[in-house]
Amino acid sequence: SAMDVDSQNDNQSGTNDQISLDDHDLDNTETTTEIQQASTPSPSFRIISRPVINLYDIENYTFGSKETKYEKDSSVADRLKRMGERYQDEGRRRSVEGIILVHKHNIPHILLLQIGNTYFKLPGGKLKPYEAEIEGLKRKMNNNLAPVDLDDESMYPTWEPTDIVSVWWRPNFESWMYPYIPPHVSKPKECKKIFLIKLPEKCVFAVPKNLELLAVPLYSLYDNPKNYGTIISSLPQSLSRFDFVCL
């Protein structure tokens, strides 16, 4: 009947409309997928951020003094000689040092100990045999810079190592150290690890009376081994992987 034909035509029309709609949706789906794929970064273009380190103004900190701390050796030659004597009993010397960073006028500075007029060093020193590195580092930092007696215990410095910035090796009983073990050296005489220290927002330091604690900007250290030695003058390069935020 006419009604059946019309109904059939309506059904076919509806089916065709549905087919057209489905095709349109498929096109949209493909387009959406393409956009998603295009907006998804390739693993080869993944952004690797630098570790963020908060630096506090040097004005936040109080600097006092404490009893004189004498060096065990009067010269570098004496220290190397004593190192050779101890090597026979203790083996390779292990030492640790700490980098303390502050900022002045939003410029990063490192705190260095000055001995006499020309010798600079990071706080730290030799570990005892079998002493753990972190515990030994904190002991040495306390010996160098912690106050002896404070009324407010919350103002004692807390030495929180966050990263090993560099590792240095002494091949022989000589002053030269390298950031690697030279190929011809099988038994280096010393391994020195340099740690980045996280400071609290405020604390009190106490410096031995025969030493000075100086805040030196990174730009003064860079490529300046004549004044600061190879290790300290290399710190700006080693620290460049960090993103400093001056608070």
Side-chain angles (χ1 to χ4, degrees):
S1 62
M3 182 178 294
D4 293 337
V5 172
D6 291 340
S7 297
Q8 185 176 5
N9 289 337
D10 289 342
N11 289 338
Q12 289 177 348
S13 175
T15 302
N16 290 336
D17 290 344
Q18 184 66 40
I19 292 174
S20 299
L21 182 61
D22 289 343
D23 290 342
H24 181 68
D25 287 346
L26 182 59
D27 290 341
N28 281 343
T29 302
E30 290 175 350
T31 303
T32 303
T33 303
E34 290 172 359
I35 293 174
Q36 290 175 343
Q37 290 175 347
S39 62
T40 303
S42 168
S44 61
F45 291 99
R46 187 170 48 211
I47 297 175
I48 300 177
S49 60
R50 294 186 296 165
V52 175
I53 303 296
N54 292 333
L55 304 184
Y56 298 103
D57 195 309
I58 193 170
E59 298 296 331
N60 284 22
Y61 302 101
T62 302
F63 298 91
S65 62
K66 60 182 178 180
E67 291 186 3
T68 298
K69 182 178 183 296
Y70 293 102
E71 294 288 320
K72 294 181 180 179
D73 306 295
S74 59
S75 66
V76 174
D78 289 343
R79 181 166 61 88
L80 293 173
K81 180 182 178 181
R82 185 167 59 88
M83 188 186 305
E85 295 169 352
R86 287 197 169 188
Y87 182 82
Q88 303 302 322
D89 299 326
E90 300 178 1
R92 179 194 301 160
R93 173 187 171 103
R94 299 181 303 131
S95 57
V96 290
E97 294 178 348
I99 298 173
I100 304 173
L101 287 164
V102 296
H103 78 82
K104 292 175 67 175
H105 309 297
N106 294 323
I107 298 175
H109 286 59
I110 293 181
L111 298 186
L112 297 177
L113 288 168
Q114 182 179 10
I115 304 172
N117 295 323
T118 58
Y119 184 71
F120 300 89
K121 61 177 284 188
L122 293 168
K126 176 181 176 294
L127 295 175
K128 297 177 180 179
Y130 308 109
E131 184 177 25
E133 292 176 349
I134 301 302
E135 284 70 18
L137 175 63
K138 291 182 178 181
R139 176 178 62 83
K140 283 295 184 181
M141 298 298 290
N142 282 329
N143 288 345
N144 288 175
L145 294 174
V148 176
D149 189 18
L150 277 181
D151 294 332
D152 185 356
E153 293 188 358
S154 66
M155 294 300 288
Y156 277 104
T158 54
W159 316 110
E160 184 181 338
T162 61
D163 295 87
I164 296 178
V165 172
S166 59
V167 179
W168 293 78
W169 300 88
R170 190 186 305 277
N172 301 297
F173 300 115
E174 299 172 353
S175 59
W176 294 103
M177 297 190 77
Y178 302 88
Y180 55 86
I181 301 176
H184 63 281
V185 175
S186 58
K187 294 182 179 180
K189 303 306 184 287
E190 181 180 2
C191 176
K192 175 181 292 188
K193 294 186 179 181
I194 300 179
F195 292 81
L196 181 61
I197 303 292
K198 180 182 178 181
L199 282 182
E201 185 175 354
K202 295 181 179 181
C203 69
V204 175
F205 295 97
V207 185
K209 292 180 180 179
N210 61 322
L211 304 178
E212 285 191 57
L213 187 65
L214 303 180
V216 184
L218 291 182
Y219 62 76
S220 293
L221 301 179
Y222 176 68
D223 198 24
N224 194 356
K226 181 179 179 181
N227 291 331
Y228 296 102
T230 302
I231 295 178
I232 292 177
S233 64
S234 72
L235 292 179
Q237 292 100 311
S238 300
L239 293 169
S240 65
R241 68 186 181 92
F242 298 100
D243 184 11
F244 296 124
V245 177
C246 298
L247 301 176

